[in-house]
């Protein structure tokens, strides 16, 4: 069903809200800026920027940080920045092997967290754990800060009951997640708004909002965790697709692995999730006699120069290179961002090898995209979840200009922060 408002023009209220968010984005990217600099960056008149600055200041979203004299005539310019205490968000990252709940401020700085390294339990048990953790983190905020709470973000893999054989996980528990609406249940349990995305999109949104997206508007994001996830950023927004699964690189078909540790495909075909994932690395290390109980063990094996890690990197790159070129043929983005649940130099080693492979496999008359290491590392999933209420409340997404239900003013109140909606 087509969403109401799509294809319609924007009214003055929608344009004003879009410009307010645009100014916040320009200020986030600049770090500090004067009113005149923001007017030029957002292509706004002095009258328009003045009204927006007053509103954002009244709402506590920005703050003055002193004066700067440019050497010319007139009064020194007042420098502005985002107020870290302007908004708060909680993120919940559910993975098949972990649960993490995190509180961040408007700058994206983690303030507190709760985490469990465990195979995901039954939905009702996980819900009780997360609801308790959310309440505990909210208690870290004083009453005034709670009035600036933007909401809960939930990031989890879609189709939790899928790919279990490839990830060596029990079928019984995970199939119970298929029909469990965790976002709706969490909203009911907490009484707070919940913004839900798949974990790949959430991590990509965090990179867009707080990381490399401060300088780049278009990129393909890849996150290597127990599985592999992805997200697509185009024109400063996350491309979701019709079901929210755009960027689901895990299901891209690839050739079977050459590693003896890899499970053999019945039909001679394989998926990227089986080769370019930490589950594949852990499986290969164990096959080579290296005990693996956590990502830290994999990182230690790389630091020790164990050849099994380099074998996995070569195998993962052999699968990633053609998959990326297929994505580039469709998306035509100039940048690939790669991040992972582990580091210690392993991600940079994979990126260096991948850059060579992309160049070697480049189609005629095509240049490979740049590849950069993401900025959030193992926090990408949790901060990605916590970024969702920030992103949907404060980012200048183009859809704001075509929504017909965007008539509410910016609201604040106990435990509610509607944002610049």
């Amino acid at each position: 069903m087509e969403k109401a408002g799509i294809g319609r023009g924007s009214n003055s209220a929608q344009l004003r809200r879009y410009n307010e968010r645009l100014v916040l984005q320009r200020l986030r990217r600049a770090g500090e800026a004067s009113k005149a600099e923001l007017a030029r960056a957002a292509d706004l008149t002095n009258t328009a920027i003045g009204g927006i600055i007053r509103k954002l200041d009244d709402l506590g979203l920005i703050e003055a940080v002193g004066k700067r004299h440019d050497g010319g005539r007139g009064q020194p310019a007042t420098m502005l920045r985002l107020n870290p205490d302007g908004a708060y968000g909680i993120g919940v990252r559910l993975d098949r092997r972990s649960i993490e709940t995190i509180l961040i401020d408007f700058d994206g700085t983690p303030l507190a967290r709760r985490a469990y390294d465990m195979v995901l339990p039954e939905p009702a048990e996980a819900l009780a754990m997360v609801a308790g953790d959310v309440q505990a983190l909210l208690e870290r905020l004083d009453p005034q800060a709670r009035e600036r709470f933007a909401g809960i973000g939930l990031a989890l893999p879609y189709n939790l009951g899928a790919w279990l054989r490839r990830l060596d996980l029990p079928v019984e528990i995970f199939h119970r997640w298929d029909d469990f609406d965790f976002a709706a249940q969490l909203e009911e349990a907490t009484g707070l708004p919940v913004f839900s995305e798949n974990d790949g999109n959430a991590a990509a949104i965090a990179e867009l909002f707080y990381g490399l997206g401060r300088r780049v508007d278009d990129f393909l994001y890849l996150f290597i965790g127990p599985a592999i996830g992805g997200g697509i950023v185009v024109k400063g927004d996350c491309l979701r697709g019709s079901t929210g699964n755009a960027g689901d690189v895990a299901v891209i078909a690839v050739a079977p692995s050459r590693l003896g540790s890899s499970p053999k495909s019945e039909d001679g075909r394989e998926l990227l999730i089986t080769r370019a994932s930490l589950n594949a690395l852990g499986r290969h290390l164990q096959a080579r006699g290296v005990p693996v109980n956590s990502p830290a063990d994999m990182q230690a094996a790389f630091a020790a120069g164990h050849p099994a890690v380099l074998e996995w990197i070569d195998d993962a790159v052999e699968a990633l290179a053609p998959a990326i070129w297929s994505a580039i043929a469709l998306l035509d983005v100039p940048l690939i961002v790669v991040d992972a649940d582990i580091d210690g130099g392993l991600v940079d080693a994979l990126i260096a090898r991948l850059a060579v492979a992309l160049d070697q496999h480049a189609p005629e008359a095509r240049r490979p995209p740049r590849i950069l290491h993401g900025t959030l590392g193992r926090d990408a999933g949790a901060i990605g979840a916590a970024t969702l209420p920030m992103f949907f409340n404060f980012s200048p997404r183009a859809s704001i200009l075509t929504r017909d239900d965007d008539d509410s003013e910016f609201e604040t109140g106990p435990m509610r922060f509607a944002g610049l909606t």
Side-chain angles (χ1 to χ4, degrees):
M1 179 180 295
E2 182 177 345
K3 183 177 179 180
I6 297 298
R8 298 181 182 179
S10 56
N11 59 38
S12 59
Q14 291 166 327
L15 183 59
R16 184 184 70 247
R17 295 184 182 101
Y18 177 84
N19 285 335
E20 289 165 352
R21 293 177 177 216
L22 184 62
V23 169
L24 288 174
Q25 181 198 65
R26 295 298 188 258
L27 193 52
R28 179 175 292 106
R29 290 182 170 186
E32 295 181 3
S34 67
K35 184 171 71 173
E37 289 169 336
L38 289 172
R40 290 192 294 271
D43 195 21
L44 296 170
T45 65
N46 289 336
T47 300
I49 194 66
I52 289 173
I53 293 299
R54 284 192 296 274
K55 180 174 182 179
L56 297 180
D57 184 48
D58 289 343
L59 293 169
L61 294 171
I62 63 174
E63 61 182 3
V65 290
K67 301 281 188 177
R68 184 185 70 192
H69 204 296
D70 295 326
R73 295 182 178 180
Q75 295 295 320
T78 299
M79 301 303 293
L80 304 167
R81 70 177 180 189
L82 298 182
N83 178 9
D85 297 321
Y88 299 90
I90 284 179
V92 177
R93 180 195 183 190
L94 298 182
D95 192 74
R96 294 178 178 91
R97 297 182 186 275
S98 64
I99 300 175
E100 187 170 7
T101 305
I102 190 170
L103 171 69
I104 67 171
D105 64 16
F106 201 30
D107 273 346
T109 302
L111 303 178
R113 72 176 77 206
R114 299 275 186 100
Y116 310 89
D117 287 325
M118 58 187 293
V119 173
L120 201 60
E122 302 237 5
E125 181 181 348
L127 178 64
M129 294 170 61
V130 168
D133 289 344
V134 167
Q135 185 59 41
L137 295 185
L138 281 172
E139 290 173 359
R140 303 288 294 266
L141 300 177
D142 61 34
Q144 183 179 12
R146 286 198 186 193
E147 292 184 354
R148 296 180 175 180
F149 182 69
I152 301 170
L154 173 65
L156 73 167
Y158 286 172
N159 305 314
L160 272 168
W163 324 123
L164 301 180
R165 181 182 64 83
R166 290 179 167 90
L167 295 172
D168 305 316
L169 289 168
V171 173
E172 299 79 15
I173 291 176
F174 282 94
H175 279 339
R176 294 170 193 162
W177 282 85
D178 288 343
D179 299 318
F180 191 86
D181 190 340
F182 196 90
Q185 293 295 322
L186 182 60
E187 193 165 83
E188 181 176 340
T190 62
L192 298 168
V194 175
F195 302 77
S196 181
E197 276 287 354
N198 75 59
D199 52 348
N201 280 350
I205 286 171
E207 192 67 50
L208 169 64
F209 206 64
Y210 290 121
L212 295 169
R214 296 184 181 191
R215 306 191 305 271
V216 184
D217 282 332
D218 305 274
F219 56 88
L220 173 64
Y221 180 87
L222 302 175
F223 188 84
I224 301 175
I228 182 171
I232 302 167
V233 172
V234 177
K235 295 183 178 179
D237 201 354
C238 183
L239 182 64
R240 301 188 70 255
S242 60
T243 63
N245 270 322
D248 187 10
V249 297
V251 299
I252 293 178
V254 297
S257 171
R258 300 182 188 183
L259 298 179
S261 60
S262 180
K264 301 308 174 188
S265 170
E266 296 178 358
D267 58 6
R269 294 178 295 178
E270 199 44 87
L271 300 178
L272 190 60
I273 189 175
T274 305
R275 299 181 64 180
S277 66
L278 296 188
N279 189 70
L281 172 57
R283 183 174 55 229
H284 189 58
L285 283 167
Q286 289 177 327
R288 294 289 302 273
V290 180
V292 176
N293 297 309
S294 69
D297 295 332
M298 304 179 200
Q299 189 168 312
F302 174 75
H306 198 288
V309 182
L310 300 181
E311 292 165 0
W312 171 79
I313 288 176
D314 284 343
D315 191 70
V317 165
E318 186 180 73
L320 280 167
I324 289 174
W325 269 120
S326 295
I328 294 301
L330 296 175
L331 301 174
D332 193 26
V333 292
L335 175 65
I336 308 296
V337 179
V338 180
D339 219 336
D341 265 331
I342 59 176
D343 195 5
L346 191 152
V347 176
D348 287 336
L350 186 145
I351 287 175
R353 179 70 184 86
L354 184 57
V356 173
L358 288 176
D359 188 59
Q360 291 174 341
H361 292 88
E364 185 176 354
R366 297 296 297 272
R367 296 173 60 87
R370 289 188 302 153
I371 312 175
L372 293 177
H373 192 162
T375 55
L376 297 172
R378 68 176 307 275
D379 276 343
I383 292 180
T387 302
L388 295 177
M390 305 291 196
F391 180 74
F392 288 112
N393 278 313
F394 304 113
S395 179
R397 294 170 293 118
S399 59
I400 297 166
L401 297 174
T402 55
R403 288 172 54 185
D404 66 352
D405 60 345
D406 197 13
D407 297 322
S408 63
E409 287 297 325
F410 189 56
E411 302 174 14
T412 60
M415 304 302 291
R416 175 162 178 80
F417 192 6
L420 295 170
T421 58

